[in-house]
Structures are given as C-alpha cells and as structure tokens.
Amino acid sequence: MSSNVTAVSYGPTLTLPDMQRLRGVLTAAGANVLAENRTGDSRFEVYTADCGLESGAAAEVTELRQASAGAVEGVDTAIVPASLREARRKFLIMDVDSTLIQQEVIELLAAYAGKREEVTAVTEAAMRGELDFAQSLHARVAVLAGLKADVVDAVRGEVKLSDGAAELVAAFKAAGHVVAVVSGGFNQILQPIAEGLGLDYWIANELEIVDGALTGKVLGDVIDRAAKEKYLREWAAAEGIPMEHTIAVGDGANDLDMLGAAGIGVAFNAKPAVRAAADAVVSMPYLDAVRHIAGV
C-alpha cells in the first residue's frame, strides 16, 4: 500500500510516549503507518507519519482527522493528502491581521481616535461571524474620520510579523512556490510588508485620504470572505496551480470561504468556529508550523 496521506503532529514538546500514542490512534483508525520522522527546534517539535488508507477517500480522511484531534494534549495533528505535500509547485495564501502579523490594524488606528475598546468589540464579533464583515468594516473605519494621515505611518511602526512568518515565506519562496496574502485590512499598512517579504500577490482595502486626513471611508469594494476565496482561485489559476495544491491560513470568520476552497485550510490561533471548520489547526504562536504541514 502506498502512502496517500501524511499525519503531521506538532506541539511544544513531543515525547516518545506521545508519538506512540499518535501512532496507535492512526492505526486504530485504519491507517497503515509506512514511515515516520521526527524534527523540530527549540520552539516546537514535529512528528510526521506517512500513512496508507484503504482508498484515501474523503470520508476516510475525515475519520482520521477526527480520530487524531486531541489525541495528545497540547499537540495538534494535520492529515494532509500526499499529493499536496509532494506537489512540485504549491500556492500559499494567508490572511494578514492576527495571522501574518500579530495585531489587528484597525484597532491600532482606532486607538488614535480614542475608540480602541469600542472597535475591538466590533472586530471580535465580526471575526466570530456574528456581524457582516463589510458592514462592520465601514462602521469601524468611520470612527477614524478626521485623523491625520500620518497616524498610518505611526501604526505601521507598531506592526510586528507573527513569529515564524518571515521564515515561512522564505521557505516557500526558496522552494519555488507562490505566496500571497489577502486582507480585510489596509493597503497603506500592507504594501511595505508585502514588498519586504517579496510576496507574489497581495491585496487589501484602501483607506480614503483627502487633504492629509482620513475620511472614515474605504475606496472600492471591501475585501470580505467572498473576495478572499475569489482571489485565491484567480491567483492560483494564473500560476497554473490546481486548487488541490493550495494552502490557506487564517483566523477569522471572513477566512472561512478561502479555507474551505483550498487544498488544505489551516486555522491559525483561530476563533472556535474557524477551528471547527478548518482541515488543520495550529494552536502555537509559530506561523512556520505551516511549512511542516505543507511539506516545505
């Protein structure tokens, strides 16, 4: 039986008993463990098990995902199709706020208007899927009206990449893969980040600035959950990469369509609804765990 999926487990620590437990769970769920490997660094450890399933059908993969979820406390396990991990070219697309970067930019901007707590509450509700994203964005941006445009420069200086973000992008690029980000945030913040990382594609909303001040509006159509999936499909097609070889990463409800459309959708420190819907979960603060999932 040839390998048709790989179980990738990752956590701050992975002991020998942990790996034995994981192997037992995989076997009990009907997987034939064909090869194993252990790697990692001082931040987290990774255990991979190449597995053969009877047919490799979606139902079998789902059953294996359910069986391995929570098998070892503090350890997440992704069940990844071998075809994705072995693909010559892959397409990685990520959300930005609270994924590629550690912060929510709209909250940093709102702080300058004295409205951070109010905006944070709306953002959290939108990310849980309780509010329409476009409507909530317009409401949040409206509180920025009248702020001098130089607050954008100040906020840009406050933004920090997530741990492992630069390493993840560099690894994908070095291996000849394509990396993109799509954001419900703002181009004025994203552009220098995207250019600095050498991303292949990126897009976000555009804050309207008139006479050196924010108007409290965004220009054009809002980048919402439907737009995120649209750009994933468009950009992957432009690169000639099938959807089965795409990896999407995000944390909020507006990422759900993108995660569902990708070959594998990864919930990164995500809201409960997103964790429940995603193919894989990363609970650690290290974004480069995604490279181990994708086999890069």
Side-chain angles (χ1 to χ4, degrees):
M1 179 183 293
S2 60
S3 170
N4 44 27
V5 298
T6 297
V8 186
S9 301
Y10 35 89
T13 59
L14 264 171
T15 65
L16 182 58
D18 289 339
M19 290 185 285
Q20 291 171 337
R21 167 66 177 160
L22 289 163
R23 186 188 308 118
V25 167
L26 296 171
T27 302
N32 183 16
V33 177
L34 304 170
E36 299 169 276
N37 184 52
R38 183 179 184 178
T39 186
D41 55 31
S42 61
R43 301 168 304 147
F44 62 90
E45 297 179 79
V46 182
Y47 164 68
T48 57
D50 295 330
C51 301
L53 296 176
E54 189 65 32
S55 67
E60 277 191 296
V61 174
T62 298
E63 183 179 345
L64 199 59
R65 282 179 176 147
Q66 292 173 343
S68 57
V72 174
E73 185 176 356
V75 174
D76 293 316
T77 297
I79 306 299
V80 191
S83 58
L84 187 154
R85 285 175 56 88
E86 296 165 2
R88 184 181 64 84
R89 290 185 79 224
K90 304 169 191 177
F91 187 97
L92 170 66
I93 187 167
M94 294 178 283
D95 173 45
V96 176
D97 291 34
S98 297
T99 300
L100 182 72
I101 65 174
Q102 297 179 26
Q103 298 85 4
E104 290 284 337
V105 167
I106 185 65
E107 295 173 10
L108 299 182
L109 288 166
Y112 287 87
K115 301 281 189 177
R116 181 161 188 164
E117 290 186 5
E118 172 186 323
V119 165
T120 296
V122 176
T123 298
E124 290 179 351
M127 291 303 98
R128 290 193 300 265
E130 297 169 3
L131 299 174
D132 175 80
F133 181 81
Q135 292 178 345
S136 74
L137 180 70
H138 287 306
R140 287 175 288 164
V141 172
V143 308
L144 308 179
L147 287 178
K148 292 185 181 298
D150 59 8
V151 302
V152 173
D153 297 324
V155 165
R156 195 181 295 125
E158 296 177 43
V159 168
K160 294 182 180 179
L161 291 174
S162 292
D163 291 338
E167 292 82 355
L168 173 63
V169 173
F172 265 75
K173 295 290 292 178
H177 305 306
V178 182
V179 184
V181 297
V182 59
S183 174
F186 309 106
N187 280 327
Q188 287 92 338
I189 301 296
L190 179 56
Q191 180 174 352
I193 297 172
E195 292 175 348
L197 290 171
L199 301 181
D200 298 285
Y201 298 91
W202 58 272
I203 194 167
N205 297 299
E206 184 81 14
L207 288 167
E208 183 180 58
I209 298 175
V210 176
D211 296 330
L214 303 184
T215 66
K217 299 178 181 178
V218 293
L219 300 172
D221 295 332
V222 168
I223 305 298
D224 58 9
R225 62 188 285 174
K228 290 189 173 192
E229 179 186 351
K230 177 176 80 78
Y231 283 110
L232 162 59
R233 293 185 181 278
E234 285 184 4
W235 294 338
E239 293 290 337
I241 298 175
M243 290 297 291
E244 303 86 66
H245 298 165
T246 64
I247 305 100
V249 188
D251 73 298
N254 62 327
D255 299 314
L256 282 170
D257 292 359
M258 176 176 76
L259 299 187
I264 190 162
V266 182
F268 180 69
N269 293 310
K271 305 300 182 288
V274 181
R275 292 172 61 93
D279 301 311
V281 171
V282 174
S283 303
M284 306 180 298
Y286 308 116
L287 192 58
D288 54 328
V290 174
R291 67 176 293 193
H292 296 281
I293 295 172
V296 174

